[in-house]
Amino acid sequence: MKKNSTSAIGIFDSGLGGLSILKEISNRLPNEELIYLADSDNAPYGEKPKEHIIEISRKNTEFLISKNCKLIVVACNTATTNAISILRNNYNIPFIGIEPAIKPAALNSKNACIGVLATKGTLSSDLFAETTKKFTSHTKVIEVEGKGIVEAIESNASNTIGFEQLLKNQLKPFVEAKIDTLVLGCTHYPFIVPQIRKCLGNEVIIIDSGFAVARQTDRILQNLQLKVITKKSQKPSLNVYTNKTSKDALLNILENLKIDQYKQFDL
Ligand code: DGL
């Protein structure tokens, strides 16, 4: 089937994290049809070897292509940093990826000390190493690997005392180094900003890449003449495909994001 502007934007992540990106995209592009693939069955991607992340990312891409998507947003830092060049080389569809916002954080930091919270897979990737080298020659970067955070969000357990304690222990290096800016390098993390604030206080600036991804999606659709230009009388559809996703966690996040019109399908 030929792709045209009425085809949907496809978005995938290892589960529910990419919904933080979907929300930014739907704010910026309210006339676009959206298809979201929550691959919870394979979460967390961040602990998997690169080859496995590539294989899963290919599978997700093929699913979204089978739904005739016109563009794919890899709403996952781990999949982007490990697999996006391979996806771009193998599929004839535009991809938008997401990477930790190191550059704005380094530019923004007053004390030249920033923190990056991301998965093992992202922090160990070549792309992350390149970006960090390029933009932080005068900035101290404290890297912390998130452990158990994605699992807690996926199982709707991020509001427990136990989770807060786990987070507090992990974020200690940021407190000790007195970072003034924190980069959220995983799309799941915007959902735990209140818990992060409890550990780091209100002064630390928290940056994520959601807005930049939505802006880039808009630009690319315009350049390719694939953007919906006429406002529809009906709200465009949002189809959410899930696999072994916790219904409670999904409902909680959709409610948090104020997304109430969608159709959900189990894979
Ligand atoms: N939300 C993803 C990211 O941005 C992946 C988290 C995971 O599955 O480990 O990195």
Side-chain angles (χ1 to χ4, degrees), residues 2-9 32-33 68-70 226 228:
K2 197 176 166 339
K3 282 176 204 32
N4 53 43
S5 64
T6 56
S7 305
I9 297 173
E32 299 287 340
E33 311 272 332
N68 197 37
C69 290
K70 60 185 174 185
L226 284 175
V228 173

Side-chain angles (χ1 to χ4, degrees), residues 13-14 17-18 42-47 75-79 98 119 122 150 185-188:
D13 182 33
S14 65
N42 285 306
Y45 287 4
E47 300 295 318
C76 173
N77 292 263
T78 313
I98 181 164
T119 67
T122 295
V150 168
C186 169
T187 54
H188 282 74

Side-chain angles (χ1 to χ4, degrees), residues 60-224:
N60 294 341
T61 296
E62 283 164 22
F63 174 80
L64 292 171
I65 289 175
S66 78
K67 297 285 168 203
N68 197 37
C69 290
K70 60 185 174 185
L71 173 145
I72 294 178
V73 178
V74 182
C76 173
N77 292 263
T78 313
T80 300
T81 52
N82 286 278
I84 201 154
S85 57
I86 293 172
L87 298 178
R88 287 193 169 122
N89 288 337
N90 282 279
Y91 300 95
N92 184 22
I93 184 167
F95 287 94
I96 309 287
I98 181 164
E99 279 184 74
I102 305 284
K103 185 181 171 188
L107 289 174
N108 192 66
S109 175
K110 300 258 184 307
N111 68 355
C113 184
I114 68 170
V116 183
L117 182 63
T119 67
K120 183 177 171 185
T122 295
L123 295 176
S124 62
S125 67
D126 294 340
L127 194 54
F128 178 78
E130 277 163 33
T131 312
T132 308
K133 193 165 166 225
K134 201 155 145 198
F135 298 114
T136 61
S137 49
H138 302 292
T139 307
K140 188 168 172 193
V141 183
I142 311 295
E143 296 173 17
V144 168
E145 222 176 77
K147 290 206 178 75
I149 304 178
V150 168
E151 291 90 326
I153 294 167
E154 287 292 317
S155 60
N156 204 24
S158 58
N159 278 319
T160 60
I161 306 279
F163 176 74
E164 281 185 14
Q165 197 52 49
L166 173 109
L167 194 63
K168 199 170 169 201
N169 289 335
Q170 290 186 44
L171 303 191
K172 262 189 201 145
F174 296 144
V175 178
E176 283 162 10
K178 299 193 171 50
I179 62 159
D180 71 352
T181 309
L182 174 68
V183 177
L184 299 183
C186 169
T187 54
H188 282 74
Y189 300 165
F191 298 126
I192 53 156
V193 166
Q195 294 91 319
I196 292 175
R197 286 238 167 268
K198 270 197 187 172
C199 304
L200 302 185
N202 289 325
E203 300 299 306
V204 170
I205 293 172
I206 299 181
I207 299 188
D208 69 57
S209 316
F211 179 82
V213 169
R215 188 180 50 198
Q216 181 66 356
T217 306
D218 189 351
R219 268 191 208 135
I220 298 292
L221 287 179
Q222 282 193 54
N223 290 347
L224 298 174

